[in-house]
Amino acid sequence: LINYLFKMKLSVIFTLLTLCSLSLFGQREVIDRVVANVGSEIVLLSEVEEQYALLEAQEGVLPDDIRCGILDQVLAQKLLVNQAKLDSIVVSDPEVETQLDARFERILQMMGGDTKQFEDFYGQTIAQAREGMRSELKGQLLAERMQAQVMNDIVVTPSEVRDFYDR
């Protein structure tokens, strides 16, 4: 009886170890990863790939090095967002909601107001899409405000413009 219990215990332990090792080694697919860091802002591979997919859907075949350009644009936006946070620039939640409302109204208008078509196309409900877009939109608004603040301090004279084009 003791020998039987020992074998049972050993087989249970072996089964558990096998299951644990399969779960650890079977999950080798990368879900997402950080590709860059700007201050407190991170850039995820999924952000770059999402922009790539959007461009590909709009333009068709893209050049091989387009991901580098996309990463440059994302880094520039993250830099502006990080600086906006450091400079205490604020975007209120009602502003974000107003922008979200307008964007989804335009999208639905292009789809003839058909929410089923929206869900089929995006693979999620409007509420899920809004939730996913909220933080991205807030970042865009922060970046726009920061860029406006930076550009507001720049003064270019007509002679500087002429010098630039002469060079």
Side-chain angles (χ1 to χ4, degrees):
L1 180 65
I2 293 175
N3 194 18
Y4 177 74
L5 289 175
F6 178 74
K7 286 182 182 179
M8 286 293 287
K9 191 175 187 181
L10 197 59
S11 79
V12 168
I13 291 172
F14 179 76
T15 304
L16 288 174
L17 286 174
T18 303
L19 289 174
C20 288
S21 66
L22 286 176
S23 68
L24 288 175
F25 296 113
Q27 297 179 357
R28 290 184 176 243
E29 184 178 334
V30 175
I31 295 172
D32 210 352
R33 67 177 186 183
V34 176
V35 292
N37 184 358
V38 180
S40 64
E41 299 295 311
I42 60 170
V43 178
L44 298 174
L45 178 61
S46 62
E47 290 178 76
V48 175
E49 291 301 319
E50 187 177 303
Q51 292 290 329
Y52 180 84
L54 184 62
L55 265 176
E56 190 176 43
Q58 292 172 349
E59 305 292 326
V61 178
L62 298 172
D64 293 336
D65 63 344
I66 194 72
R67 283 185 174 89
C68 292
I70 292 170
L71 180 59
D72 282 346
Q73 289 176 346
V74 173
L75 284 172
Q77 181 177 354
K78 296 288 184 173
L79 180 64
L80 288 169
V81 169
N82 187 61
Q83 190 61 46
K85 288 179 179 178
L86 291 174
D87 289 355
S88 301
I89 294 175
V90 178
V91 173
S92 70
D93 289 339
E95 288 176 272
V96 174
E97 292 304 316
T98 301
Q99 288 284 333
L100 276 173
D101 290 342
R103 288 185 183 199
F104 278 92
E105 188 175 306
R106 279 193 305 264
I107 292 169
L108 284 172
Q109 189 176 31
M110 288 189 303
M111 294 182 168
D114 188 1
T115 57
K116 177 76 171 122
Q117 183 182 359
F118 178 93
E119 290 172 359
D120 291 342
F121 185 79
Y122 288 101
Q124 54 188 347
T125 65
I126 293 174
Q128 291 169 328
R130 284 178 65 96
E131 191 59 39
M133 189 184 250
R134 187 171 280 112
S135 66
E136 181 184 328
L137 181 58
K138 189 168 189 168
Q140 286 175 357
L141 293 173
L142 277 171
E144 287 172 9
R145 294 243 170 98
M146 188 67 223
Q147 188 173 19
Q149 183 175 327
V150 168
M151 299 301 281
N152 197 26
D153 296 336
I154 296 175
V155 178
V156 180
T157 64
S159 62
E160 290 174 324
V161 172
R162 272 193 301 278
D163 290 344
F164 174 80
Y165 281 107
D166 288 344
R167 276 188 264 133

